[in-house]
Amino acid sequence: MEITVAGGGIMAQTADTYVVEVFADGRLASEAAALDAAMGGAITQLIQDGFLTGRPGEINVLPAGRRLKAKRVAVVGAGKRDGVTIDSARTRAGNLSRRLRDMNAGRVAIALQETSTALDQTDAGRAVAEGLTLGLYRFDRHHTREQDKPRYAIAHITLVETSTRRANAVQRGVTEGVILGEQTNFARDLANEPSNLMTPTIVAARAQQMAAELGIECTIIERAEAERLKMGSYLSVANGSAQPPKFIVLQYRGAGNGRPIALVGKGITFDTGGISLKPAENMDAMKGDMSGAASVIAAIGALARLEARVNVIAIAPCTENMPGGTATKPGDVVYAMDGTSIEVLNTDAEGRLVLADGIAYAKSKGATVILDVATLTGAMGVALGGVRTGIFCNDDRTMTQVERAAEAAGEKVWRMPLDPEYDDQIKSDVADIKNTGGRPAGSITAAKFIERFVGDTPWAHFDIAGVMSKASDNGVWVKGMSGNPVRTLIHFALGRARG
Ligand code: BES
Ligand code: MN
Ligand code: ZN
């Protein structure tokens, strides 16, 4: 789907479907009023008859008649005029995009006038383009039978402004919004793909391909090199798998030679639990256990496309977690890159094991701040459900920046505690630390484990186990893997670039 921008008003556009917004106050802006006049007062008639109230989600589709360069006009409710925010505009665009697709809207021209007046043109362009790009996402590549495939697609949407000056401002926003949307969809693609088609080798190939296209550095650390680097914690997770592990490192230098922001993503391409095997029911969901890796790969790609003036390193330790004959067994002791000894009491607590070496590696690269993203604990979904990501952060300034970035992205977060008392739960009798702290506060003890490898570096840990997928379509979210928190990561880095 392509999004373009045009000035000169909606009636200058040739399209299949025009879209125009009406607020709940029933006042028609000049674009809607002009369409109304060209259709002989059809819109005002609908308002008089009570069919058009302007509430969000309402759509009236009218035949355009002979005087317009379109076949249909969709009059869309926009809600309260003073209730328009970037987030509400993005959400409405997401919902609208699927309504348009369902009605086979064809080539679409959307009059942006109302939203771009309520916000500003660049914000409106960004929000709407992001909402449309995210809302139209679907993962359908493995349907081979025609009748199972989606019926309609939207090939082209034009956002129309009333003047060239306004259109130029919209275009700046659209360019950014499309990048944020497309990179999130890239993460969704990686995470939705089943594990047989998204092995660590394939994740690495996709990262390399993206890096080549965007001119950023990509290094794949193979098993032998990881052994030389003493990444015994990460490698212990790969022991039971026939698939070779791949430790992916991407580097984007948009600000010369300074130290980078590190984004570390958990990349378990399938989590069986290992010898501490998971129950069969819903185990398929664990094909998404590399959502953290997908997020950091997608986010650094966005920063490169945006030419952000910031240095970023994305680190994605990827492996399967399998119960093979050579698998790590409960009670085994392994050594992380930084020398910490770990008693592996439960092989299903593997995410923190790969993150330990991911974070140690980030520190060895001089990271100024570390954000890690992981589908880490089922307990996180119990605590916050599918709405908010739990953030564990050792630095108030970083936390404020994460909150601002999440707010800008429309991805909700909630700070979780890291009190020293929780450390008692991960004390080991035989090693420096053990990889489970029992049932109480399961997400917190997982974060406490990771914190041991972070040291003094400012750090925020995103436990996305609860928000990694959606059960239904709503706004910018679509059923399947969510791509959360790709856009928060991007906004965080953009915020640091601005200083
Ligand atoms: N990948 C899982 C966590 C998970 C569960 C993510 C459900 C998304 C949905 C993780 O590796 C895991 O198995 N965690 C264990 C930790 C426990 C053994 C301490 C868990 O949450 O049960
Ligand atoms: Mn697990
Ligand atoms: Zn896992």
Side-chain angles (χ1 to χ4, degrees), residues 118-178:
L119 298 171
D120 83 46
Q121 289 100 51
T122 304
D123 284 346
R126 189 189 303 105
V128 172
E130 202 175 305
L132 295 171
T133 307
L134 290 166
L136 287 173
Y137 175 81
R138 59 188 166 196
F139 184 74
D140 54 24
R141 48 184 310 211
H142 297 304
H143 287 299
T144 65
R145 303 189 316 163
E146 210 51 50
Q147 68 261 39
D148 297 335
K149 285 191 200 157
R151 207 187 288 249
Y152 307 126
I154 290 186
H156 197 135
I157 298 178
T158 306
L159 302 184
V160 187
E161 265 299 351
T162 48
S163 71
T164 315
R165 187 185 57 78
R166 287 173 68 105
N168 289 339
V170 168
Q171 180 64 63
R172 282 197 290 280
V174 167
T175 303
E176 292 172 16
V178 166

Side-chain angles (χ1 to χ4, degrees), residues 168-456:
N168 289 339
V170 168
Q171 180 64 63
R172 282 197 290 280
V174 167
T175 303
E176 292 172 16
V178 166
I179 291 172
L180 269 80
E182 285 181 351
Q183 289 299 122
T184 302
N185 290 345
F186 176 55
R188 289 169 168 180
D189 268 341
L190 297 181
N192 275 318
E193 203 67 74
S195 73
N196 61 323
L197 302 175
M198 196 51 66
T199 59
T201 303
I202 300 172
V203 181
R206 296 295 299 269
Q208 271 174 321
Q209 186 193 345
M210 182 194 83
E213 281 166 18
L214 299 178
I216 62 181
E217 273 172 60
C218 182
T219 311
I220 309 298
I221 299 176
E222 305 287 345
R223 190 198 301 267
E225 176 68 8
E227 277 164 6
R228 272 193 292 278
L229 292 168
K230 300 197 169 0
M231 294 178 166
S233 185
Y234 158 63
L235 288 171
S236 76
V237 179
N239 279 346
S241 173
Q243 291 291 338
K246 304 279 170 174
F247 190 105
I248 301 168
V249 181
L250 292 160
Q251 262 176 293
Y252 167 66
R253 289 197 182 84
N257 287 321
R259 294 161 63 194
I261 297 172
L263 307 177
V264 183
K266 170 180 172 182
I268 304 298
T269 60
F270 196 83
D271 181 11
T272 65
I275 296 298
S276 312
L277 194 63
K278 286 181 179 297
E281 198 176 5
N282 297 328
M283 201 203 273
D284 61 291
M286 289 299 107
K287 66 184 168 186
D289 211 20
M290 37 62 74
S291 291
S295 296
V296 303
I297 293 167
I300 198 171
L303 292 163
R305 289 177 66 182
L306 292 165
E307 296 171 12
R309 292 179 192 284
V310 64
N311 291 340
V312 184
I313 182 167
I315 298 164
C318 293
T319 173
E320 291 182 333
N321 183 24
M322 295 288 284
T326 51
T328 298
K329 300 169 291 297
D332 287 1
V333 173
V334 301
Y335 287 80
M337 189 181 174
D338 72 350
T340 303
S341 63
I342 303 165
E343 184 187 13
V344 181
L345 275 182
N346 188 323
T347 64
D348 196 13
E350 85 296 342
R352 64 201 78 181
L353 296 176
V354 307
L355 289 175
D357 282 330
I359 283 167
Y361 187 81
K363 284 179 70 89
S364 78
K365 293 291 167 186
T368 53
V369 57
I370 299 171
L371 305 190
D372 82 74
V373 184
T375 48
L376 204 64
T377 62
M380 197 70 252
V382 175
L384 298 180
V387 178
R388 288 183 189 261
T389 297
I391 309 284
F392 299 80
C393 187
N394 65 357
D395 176 56
D396 290 345
R397 188 174 148 256
T398 302
M399 188 64 216
T400 304
Q401 292 171 352
V402 168
E403 277 167 346
R404 285 211 189 105
E407 169 78 27
E411 295 172 327
K412 293 183 178 174
V413 299
W414 192 256
R415 190 172 190 174
M416 299 288 292
L418 283 166
D419 302 277
E421 289 90 330
Y422 292 106
D423 278 315
D424 292 344
Q425 281 175 248
I426 50 171
K427 278 194 183 129
S428 166
D429 293 337
V430 302
D432 297 339
I433 187 172
K434 64 183 179 186
N435 82 329
T436 54
R439 264 176 73 80
S443 305
I444 304 173
T445 54
K448 292 301 285 182
F449 180 98
I450 299 166
E451 187 187 34
R452 291 284 287 256
F453 298 88
V454 170
D456 300 332

